[in-house]
Amino acid sequence: MCGIIGYTGTKEASGIMLDALELLEYRGYDSAGIALSDENGGPARIIKRAGRVKDLRLLCEEKNVSGHCGIGHTRWATHGGVSDENAHPHGYGKITIIHNGIIENYRQLIEKYELDGKLKSQTDSEVVAAVLSHFYQGDPYSAIRKTVLKLKGTFALAIMFEDIPGKIYAVRNVSPIVAANTEDGAILSSDVAAIVPFTTQYFVVPELNVVCLSREGIEMYDLSGDKARIDWLTVDWDISRSDKGGYPFYMEKEIMEQPDVINDTVLPRIKDGKPDFTAEGIKDEMLASCERICVIACGTAMHAGLVGKSLIQSMIGIHVDVVMASEFMYNDPVVNDKTLVIAISQSGETIDTLEALKFARKCGSPSISIVNVKGASIARASEHVIYTCAGPEIAVASTKAYTTQLAVLYLLTARMAIARGLWSEDQTKKYMDELLRVPDVMKEVLSQKEEIHHIADTILNAKDVFMIGRGLDYSILLEGSLKLKEVSYIHSEAYASGELKHGTIALITSETPVIAVVTQDKLKSKELSNIKEVQSRGAKVILLIKGDEVLEQEKIWSRIFRLPVMEDEFMVMPASVVLQLIAYYVSLDKGLDVDKPRNLAKVVTVE
Ligand code: F6R
């Protein structure tokens, strides 16, 4: 889950790498480091420390480092605590290395190559440097091949050899690496975001291929030593999407971008007023023939899946399971060729989702993935991929990726209904018209952000917050609650309001604010009664309700936000924006680092 960068060219490498590491910091931010090599060869100069990239930048200025070839790393600790020694790069013999991933057999490697007492850090990564050093006798490809065959686990490695100046070698298994030519050399990274300032052409390094970057460009070889073909991709997002665009935090910018990115995701997929996935190669037979659907995802992406479940079950009438990808394998999953598997992932790299998808494919399940990052592992591992067009999502807390995932699920549900002959032309038109209204409705909510800010102020000092709702409202709140927890550190729980009285209502006091969402006409009276139950236990209720209807009940809220009216199944969209903004403003007003909450990383490539 770390960020890696490598640059070689005619420019000063340290500045390029430090800027890139700042962009990659969302992947991990407990320590950072760079190594620079000299044109004449010789040991690389390593500068690293626990702390943020800004601290590393100061250290580099102090040490006045320079060089035209280098590798850099921002860390999310797995093996070995957060310390200067455990920060990357690691040097061993003639090798300097950075690593993202986990080497599972590092203990066995320490024994086999008698490394006990010879390592400076507690990391599995330094072990890889030592094994490489063991095999290195002047031929980098041979040393890399021999080393890779000894490794068990996941890795993205960037390597410099002290006697091969100006060149960076890289290889990966599962953990991502993308690479690109620049005007004057070449660059690699764990994420396209770091490459976008240089070029729009890049490629995903295929697993177990070795790339070599130099001023002359990039070469790639497979593990048997044959030259491999590079499949170039084009970044199709605008470069301005990777800066903060004047907002104090990426999270706010990404929340505000939602109307545009939903249009970008939906509009190209509508033909003759109907959803169309021919560009993705998804045939109607696939959508018509499945008997069951299994959604696999983690965190926010899984919450999008829960909304998809409600949509598909209510409109198509087939059973949908939404499974936490990390639990999928341990529950003896029953999936087969009649189960359509939908994997949802912003990064496309979440290892649990990837492994679950691979397992389902082995069982013969047809598969579609909904992914934001082009060419990511999950996209490549599934039969079909529908890309969300959210652009780079840099804030750790997912916002625009979630709502674009929902947009794809709305389209997919509609295509499935058409494929199964369930909808008349009129029904299709009504549904699609409503979907096309979403961006404008979101804009209406976003224009009231100051009002939402005032609402957020009322929970600023709360220790616990409960969120209650039923049906789709409950699904929305699961996501709203996760958002609040991760960026504000306030303990919060989403509860199905009918379930509250079976135990948890004991926790409701006048100190527990309750956010209630009421958007589903058929559930409204029950939801309002449940709100009354918590209010009579002293809770201050923040009510998000559809429309401006005057409620008959006595005043049961202390704050109210009236959501613009849409058909019930689309109310998720405006309600989610309000909950995202509440979480954002609480974090902002607490003075927290909104984009980089503690302990979290954006891309979770460890199980
Ligand atoms: C929360 C959040 C996470 C991710 C989860 C899956 O805001 O972003 O819960 O949704 O780690 O990540 P992806 O979607 O990249 O598979």
Side-chain angles (χ1 to χ4, degrees), residues 506-525:
L507 296 176
I508 303 287
T509 68
S510 58
E511 305 295 309
T512 337
V514 173
I515 299 181
V517 172
V518 180
T519 69
Q520 305 295 301
D521 290 345
K522 63 174 190 252
L523 298 171
K524 188 158 141 199
S525 63

Side-chain angles (χ1 to χ4, degrees), residues 590-602:
K590 282 184 147 196
L592 300 173
D593 189 345
V594 182
D595 288 337
K596 298 185 186 77
R598 69 182 175 216
N599 303 340
L600 295 176
K602 181 81 181 159

Side-chain angles (χ1 to χ4, degrees), residues 117-182:
K118 296 186 186 155
L119 301 169
K120 293 188 221 81
S121 74
Q122 289 83 50
T123 64
D124 50 346
S125 315
E126 193 186 355
V127 177
V128 181
V131 176
L132 262 166
S133 173
H134 169 86
F135 285 122
Y136 183 56
Q137 272 155 12
D139 179 352
Y141 289 105
S142 153
I144 292 171
R145 276 196 288 274
K146 286 179 184 155
T147 303
V148 160
L149 293 174
K150 301 282 175 210
L151 303 180
K152 286 210 177 83
T154 58
F155 49 85
L157 301 167
I159 309 150
M160 295 196 301
F161 296 84
E162 73 169 45
D163 49 354
I164 314 181
K167 290 196 172 170
I168 300 167
Y169 295 82
V171 66
R172 75 179 193 98
N173 180 42
V174 183
S175 308
I177 304 183
V178 291
N181 289 311
T182 63

Side-chain angles (χ1 to χ4, degrees), residues 305-437:
L306 288 171
V307 174
K309 173 185 164 96
S310 298
L311 298 176
I312 296 170
Q313 287 194 169
S314 68
M315 290 186 226
I316 315 291
I318 61 171
H319 181 78
V320 183
D321 286 311
V322 179
V323 191
M324 271 177 219
S326 56
E327 287 291 306
F328 182 80
M329 311 289 267
Y330 312 112
N331 283 313
D332 306 315
V334 184
V335 286
N336 55 36
D337 57 346
K338 295 279 177 234
T339 319
L340 171 64
V341 164
I342 303 180
I344 309 179
S345 173
Q346 187 284 129
S347 62
E349 300 296 344
T350 302
I351 187 109
D352 288 320
T353 310
L354 179 62
E355 292 303 322
L357 171 65
K358 285 182 179 164
F359 178 90
R361 287 210 68 187
K362 275 198 198 123
C363 300
S365 299
S367 58
I368 298 176
S369 62
I370 301 173
V371 172
N372 194 39
V373 177
K374 262 200 172 171
S377 306
I378 291 171
R380 285 178 302 116
S382 74
E383 209 177 330
H384 300 282
V385 53
I386 306 175
Y387 285 110
T388 47
C389 304
E393 190 179 64
I394 311 269
V396 165
S398 184
T399 52
K400 60 177 181 168
Y402 170 71
T403 47
T404 52
Q405 286 158 359
L406 295 181
V408 169
L409 289 163
Y410 282 109
L411 287 169
L412 205 54
T413 307
R415 189 70 231 176
M416 206 175 271
I418 294 166
R420 289 172 178 249
L422 297 172
W423 281 2
S424 65
E425 292 283 322
D426 273 2
Q427 267 174 301
T428 309
K429 183 172 178 335
K430 196 170 158 226
Y431 180 94
M432 295 306 287
D433 285 351
E434 199 63 354
L435 178 57
L436 291 170
R437 276 186 64 221

Side-chain angles (χ1 to χ4, degrees), residues 47 58 94 118 143 235 287 301 380 390 409 448 462 495 508 576:
I47 305 100
L58 290 177
K94 291 182 174 162
K118 296 186 186 155
V235 184
L287 302 177
R380 285 178 302 116
L409 289 163
Q448 297 172 73
Y495 239 82
I508 303 287
S576 298

